[in-house]
Amino acid sequence: MKIGHHVISGPCFADDVCTLAVSKPALQQKFQVAYSYSCKWQFTFNQEKCAYVVIGKDSMPKMNITLGNKNINKSNFEEHLGTRLMIRAN
């Protein structure tokens, strides 16, 4: 994925997955693909350990992000493989 002039990847390690999307609907679509894949191959995600971070203005604040039938929590920061992504307060 490319954001501006920056190439961005979603590093994975063992059971730790990270993904990026340019919008909440695009993120929801990725979560639906992941959920469908997990159903096909009979494994589950721990939705309680999942979170998403919005960078910039949340243009759809009332839209819930789900994985399967469970809502995913919105967070101001997330840590992935020892790297913390944090949204700074204005």
Side-chain angles (χ1 to χ4, degrees):
M1 171 183 257
K2 198 170 184 183
I3 299 176
H5 297 291
H6 303 282
V7 176
I8 308 295
S9 65
C12 300
F13 182 76
D15 65 348
D16 210 1
V17 179
C18 177
T19 189
L20 301 169
V22 296
S23 67
K24 284 173 96 172
L27 180 62
Q28 182 60 61
Q29 183 179 19
K30 286 183 173 196
F31 274 42
Q32 182 57 45
V33 168
Y35 181 72
S36 296
Y37 185 85
S38 73
C39 291
K40 177 180 179 179
W41 294 103
Q42 300 178 355
F43 66 90
T44 59
F45 288 98
N46 184 349
Q47 288 98 329
E48 287 76 31
K49 289 178 66 179
C50 296
Y52 71 95
V53 176
V54 174
I55 298 172
K57 185 177 185 222
D58 187 350
S59 61
M60 303 178 85
K62 294 184 187 233
M63 180 181 177
N64 291 324
I65 300 296
T66 60
L67 182 57
N69 61 355
K70 294 191 177 179
N71 286 337
I72 302 302
N73 293 323
K74 182 177 176 182
S75 178
N76 290 324
F77 73 91
E78 194 56 33
E79 192 166 311
H80 182 69
L81 301 177
T83 301
R84 181 173 267 207
L85 172 64
M86 185 180 322
I87 306 305
R88 292 186 183 161
N90 292 335

